[in-house]
Amino acid sequence: MTTYILRRILSSIPVLIGILFVTFALGRLIPGDPCRAILGEKATEVVCNEFIRRHGLDKPIPVQFSIYVGEIMRGDLGTSLKYGKPVTDLIVERLPTTLELSLAAMTFSVLIGIPLGVISAVKHNSLVDVGTMVLANIGVSMPVFWLGLMLAYVFALLLKGTPLQLPPSGRLSPGLSVPPFYEVWGWQLAAEGMGFKLLQFISRLNTINSVLTWRWDIFSDAVKHLILPAMAVGTIPLAIIARMTRSSMLDVLGQDYVRTARAKGLPRLEVILKHALRNALLPLVTIIGLSLGSFLGGAVLTETIFGLSGVGRVLYDAITSRDYGVVQSFTIVIAVFFVILNLLVDISYIYLDPRVRLE
Amino acid sequence: MEATSNSKQSKTPQLNPEGLRSAETVTLWKTAWRRLFRRKSAMFGLGILVFLLLVAIFAPVIAPYDPYQVLIGIEPVRMRQAPCIHLLGCPKDQPQHLMGIDGNVRDQFSRLIFGARLSLMVGLTTVSFAIVVGTIFGSLAGYLGGNVDNVIMRIMDVLLAFPTLLLAIAIVTILGPGLINALIAISIVSIPAYARVARASVLSVREMEFVEASRSLGGSTLYILFGRILPNALTPLIVQGTLGIATAILDAAALSFLGLGAQPPTPEWGTMLGAERNQVFTAPHLVFYPGLAIMITVLAFNLLGDGLRDALDPRLAARGAE
């Protein structure tokens, strides 16, 4: 088992090096003068010379690459032109918004997608099945940004005044704000160090912070603000999950042990949920793990629509203002995150699938 | 697939090999077509595609206005005016605009019609490019094996490690915004998928006896690979390609929405949507129709792709027919 984990970790190292190389190569493909492309048109000769010296742009390519890798290893992802801050700070500051949105979207897609898939498989070829599959097909064909705009239009304008009205932008209603839970609890903290950063990070997750401070009015407000963006980001994964669950369940339901379980006289529901679903969920772990990547892609397209200032918004601003450094660093961070996620999914199979353990 | 290889094995020098092959191809496609024809959803998708293709070809005939023409001073219309359809009670003295007027006082319906050309073109060109490049790499990797396989597939793994849309964004940001650069970016990020499919199919066909026969007859590596093996490994690529067009159109629309793809005033659906995104509460028709057009096009390719997969894979079709 340990060798399996070690082998998986080792095999992702070449991929990580490859990612660094691709992003490095992308940085060198910027047309024209890299200094002025990254620091802006108005950079003076002196500033540029310093920039070129610091990043070793006057040195041979292999040396440049090693300098680049060294910078990233030290956690130096460069500075954002637009925000005038280190990119790492920006990510830590903005990530809670995106994380909250992604988790909400994931909850939405899993909680609805899996039951829909199970029902479609059990009631194979029924009206529910056909309807679900038609909706799933439409779901995977929708542009995320369009769905977001349409949801905002329907729930904020058409349903205005009804109980279904939902806020189309921001994380909380104007005027509402939550003090961080550690302040409410009266903790005396030095405002520095990793521990404090972590607490700050948690306190920026509005839903968790409001629960910790026992402010249920703020919790419900935060959840209301999350619904529309989460639906927008979660619909495509929902459709994929529903389709996968259905085909996976159909496979499992046709197997002998399921028939045996039924023949033993076990209740139908118990067979479906205990015997069939548990095995059918196996391939779904991979799909859900990989959908996290599409949640991130969806966040870039939807955060701007719903006025959320998360990581996706930073990336959007970076794209529109040609903030190359930020786009490049984000690409690295997200790709590395993706690789780690894949690794975790593979490792989780040890616990989920005994066959992997025995190999 | 097996039937194909068997008949190829029994090839005798007296028979004309060209004629033999075309006869087989027809049978494979005939059965596939018959299976496809029985699937309502696939036929529905195909129907939409034929319709879209006709719209794209005859766009100048269908569109009532020039998609670039600003109507100020020509007609009594306002900026972002709601749709005016005579059949639905719009006063007859007003000029008819089926989908309203956009932010630059142009006829939205005409722009949407012309947009079909671009979207289909985007899907077909990116996927054709990605299929050709991906197939060459993938089949070389699968056929030659060893170090070539290792190097090529590791490069593909690295490309796959990036979420596709984000890698495409990074590439276009660096190349500079524009339709051509967006096409290049989408092509590059979709290469690995085809390389993997091509490699897998080549691997499954490589060891078959008809390949060995070709080799023993002295066929060159290139001939065996592209003349003998690939035609037998084509079906998964066709399926992947059809589904890939759907993804490519969605990605291209997303890039255009972000301002990285086609630039205004080009009538591209994603660009049109992106330009009017802030007007969703005041002029929803300007956001609704372009998005609907994207969705219908993508849906058509998805339905056809799913249908093709079932039709070309007898194993799957047998299960679906249960």
Side-chain angles (χ1 to χ4, degrees):
Chain A
M1 191 166 113
T2 332
T3 42
Y4 172 79
I5 297 178
L6 275 178
R7 215 172 46 216
R8 263 313 270 114
I9 293 176
L10 280 179
S11 72
S12 50
I13 290 175
V15 176
L16 287 174
I17 295 174
I19 288 172
L20 288 177
F21 189 75
V22 169
T23 46
F24 170 78
L26 280 176
R28 294 301 172 276
L29 282 176
I30 297 174
D33 175 3
C35 164
R36 296 212 161 72
I38 290 170
L39 293 183
E41 287 295 322
K42 290 188 189 121
T44 60
E45 202 63 34
V46 182
V47 176
C48 265
N49 286 338
E50 163 64 18
F51 178 86
I52 287 171
R53 200 188 51 77
R54 191 154 51 87
H55 294 279
L57 293 181
D58 48 353
K59 300 210 169 65
I61 294 284
V63 180
Q64 289 188 24
F65 184 59
S66 64
I67 293 175
Y68 174 78
V69 173
E71 280 171 357
I72 289 168
M73 289 298 173
R74 285 195 302 275
D76 176 7
L77 293 174
T79 312
S80 160
L81 269 183
K82 192 176 153 72
Y83 294 94
K85 272 187 196 171
V87 175
T88 23
D89 285 9
L90 265 180
I91 293 178
V92 173
E93 199 177 288
R94 302 299 188 90
L95 196 57
T97 310
T98 306
L99 196 67
E100 210 171 40
L101 171 59
S102 304
L103 290 178
M106 197 166 116
T107 317
F108 169 73
S109 55
V110 169
L111 282 188
I112 298 183
I114 291 183
L116 270 184
V118 172
I119 296 171
S120 303
V122 174
K123 308 247 177 224
H124 189 38
N125 281 338
S126 72
L127 203 65
V128 184
D129 181 25
V130 174
T132 306
M133 286 308 111
V134 168
L135 285 181
N137 262 321
I138 293 176
V140 287
S141 307
M142 262 191 282
V144 187
F145 45 94
W146 180 68
L147 178 63
L149 288 166
M150 285 296 113
L151 285 172
Y153 175 70
V154 170
F155 284 94
L157 198 79
L158 287 188
L159 297 174
K160 202 171 189 165
T162 69
L164 281 175
Q165 179 187 354
L166 287 167
S169 73
R171 298 180 71 193
L172 289 172
S173 299
L176 276 184
S177 71
V178 240
F181 65 94
Y182 47 85
E183 279 178 18
V184 176
W185 292 357
W187 289 6
Q188 298 297 320
L189 295 165
E192 57 189 36
M194 279 303 278
F196 181 72
K197 280 242 167 81
L198 187 69
L199 286 180
Q200 232 181 358
F201 187 86
I202 297 171
S203 75
R204 287 200 182 111
L205 295 164
N206 279 341
T207 43
I208 293 181
N209 192 49
S210 60
V211 170
L212 288 176
T213 52
W214 219 247
R215 290 289 300 273
W216 294 102
D217 54 327
I218 291 180
F219 177 78
S220 78
D221 192 64
V223 170
K224 264 188 194 162
H225 278 83
L226 269 177
I227 294 176
L228 289 185
M231 272 166 80
V233 177
T235 298
I236 294 180
L238 185 153
I240 297 173
I241 288 173
R243 274 162 66 152
M244 280 296 296
T245 313
R246 175 179 177 270
S247 68
S248 180
M249 272 300 269
L250 279 178
D251 257 0
V252 175
L253 283 175
Q255 282 182 18
D256 290 344
Y257 75 89
V258 171
R259 202 182 323 137
T260 312
R262 288 296 305 284
K264 280 197 305 189
L266 290 177
R268 193 174 148 84
L269 199 67
E270 195 183 322
V271 176
I272 290 169
L273 293 182
K274 266 197 178 162
H275 295 75
L277 184 61
R278 278 180 64 168
N279 282 299
L281 283 181
L282 219 54
L284 272 174
V285 175
T286 314
I287 295 292
I288 295 171
L290 293 180
S291 322
L292 273 173
S294 82
F295 289 136
L296 283 168
V300 180
L301 293 165
T302 39
E303 278 180 6
T304 46
I305 293 172
F306 291 103
L308 299 168
S309 50
V311 173
R313 179 58 188 264
V314 176
L315 187 53
Y316 178 80
D317 287 344
I319 294 163
T320 46
S321 57
R322 305 268 164 278
D323 205 340
Y324 293 108
V326 176
V327 177
Q328 204 183 356
S329 344
F330 265 69
T331 316
I332 301 174
V333 172
I334 289 169
V336 169
F337 173 75
F338 214 48
V339 170
I340 294 173
L341 210 70
N342 269 323
L343 194 66
L344 291 179
V345 166
D346 274 5
I347 291 176
S348 76
Y349 264 65
I350 298 176
Y351 297 99
L352 295 172
D353 189 348
R355 283 170 299 183
V356 177
R357 221 173 320 169
L358 291 173
E359 256 171 34
Chain B
M1 198 67 75
E2 215 137 80
T4 324
S5 63
N6 280 339
S7 46
K8 278 207 172 149
Q9 252 173 270
S10 63
K11 186 175 99 172
T12 45
Q14 290 95 318
L15 281 171
N16 169 14
E18 279 310 306
L20 188 64
R21 197 199 301 163
S22 68
E24 286 153 13
T25 322
V26 168
T27 7
L28 171 73
W29 286 104
K30 237 184 199 165
T31 38
W33 176 252
R34 211 178 302 135
R35 281 204 213 105
L36 190 68
F37 197 76
R38 257 189 262 131
R39 294 187 63 88
K40 279 188 213 110
S41 58
M43 283 335 293
F44 183 61
L46 191 65
I48 301 176
L49 280 185
V50 171
F51 172 72
L52 283 172
L53 206 63
L54 290 176
V55 167
I57 293 170
F58 296 106
V61 185
I62 303 167
Y65 294 85
D66 174 351
Y68 293 98
Q69 190 183 31
V70 177
L71 297 172
I72 300 177
I74 298 175
E75 280 182 354
V77 285
R78 280 175 295 107
M79 193 212 278
R80 302 207 175 88
Q81 186 178 300
C84 168
I85 305 166
H86 288 162
L87 276 176
L88 296 179
C90 180
K92 284 274 190 299
D93 53 337
Q94 270 184 41
Q96 172 158 277
H97 292 283
L98 294 178
M99 292 176 184
I101 299 291
D102 78 355
N104 289 310
V105 202
R106 293 171 299 208
D107 180 52
Q108 159 117 323
F109 178 64
S110 306
R111 292 178 62 72
L112 212 70
I113 297 289
F114 275 88
R117 289 185 162 187
L118 260 164
S119 275
L120 293 181
M121 193 271 285
V122 164
L124 291 175
T125 46
T126 51
V127 169
S128 322
F129 178 81
I131 282 192
V132 170
V133 178
T135 306
I136 292 175
F137 279 129
S139 46
L140 283 177
Y143 188 66
L144 298 176
N147 281 335
V148 180
D149 185 23
N150 257 327
V151 171
I152 292 180
M153 291 328 282
R154 285 305 80 74
I155 296 174
M156 296 300 145
D157 279 351
V158 169
L159 284 179
L160 276 174
F162 296 92
T164 51
L165 183 61
L166 291 172
L167 183 58
I169 287 175
I171 295 174
V172 190
T173 313
I174 278 155
L175 293 179
L179 185 61
I180 301 293
N181 287 343
L183 293 185
I184 294 174
I186 295 170
S187 303
I188 293 175
V189 300
S190 34
I191 288 173
Y194 302 105
R196 281 198 156 182
V197 172
R199 175 175 177 271
S201 354
V202 167
L203 277 181
S204 70
V205 180
R206 186 176 72 167
E207 301 303 332
M208 286 188 177
E209 277 154 359
F210 74 91
V211 175
E212 213 173 301
S214 271
R215 211 175 291 139
S216 61
L217 283 171
S220 70
T221 308
L222 278 183
Y223 168 73
I224 295 174
L225 184 52
F226 292 104
R228 306 263 83 182
I229 296 183
L230 262 187
N232 285 289
L234 215 57
T235 47
L237 279 169
I238 292 170
V239 171
Q240 178 77 21
T242 316
L243 294 170
I245 293 178
T247 328
I249 292 177
L250 268 186
D251 283 353
L255 286 179
S256 297
F257 177 77
L258 292 172
L260 292 172
Q263 298 298 308
T266 316
E268 204 272 344
W269 295 336
T271 312
M272 289 161 68
L273 223 161
E276 302 292 345
R277 54 188 296 181
N278 293 326
Q279 258 59 48
V280 65
F281 292 119
T282 49
H285 58 279
L286 294 181
V287 173
F288 178 72
Y289 291 115
L292 189 70
I294 298 172
M295 194 191 84
I296 290 175
T297 314
V298 174
L299 181 68
F301 280 107
N302 272 335
L303 289 177
L304 184 65
D306 281 346
L308 274 175
R309 183 178 48 205
D310 296 351
L312 291 169
D313 185 344
R315 206 165 39 92
L316 266 175
R319 205 176 59 190
E322 269 170 25

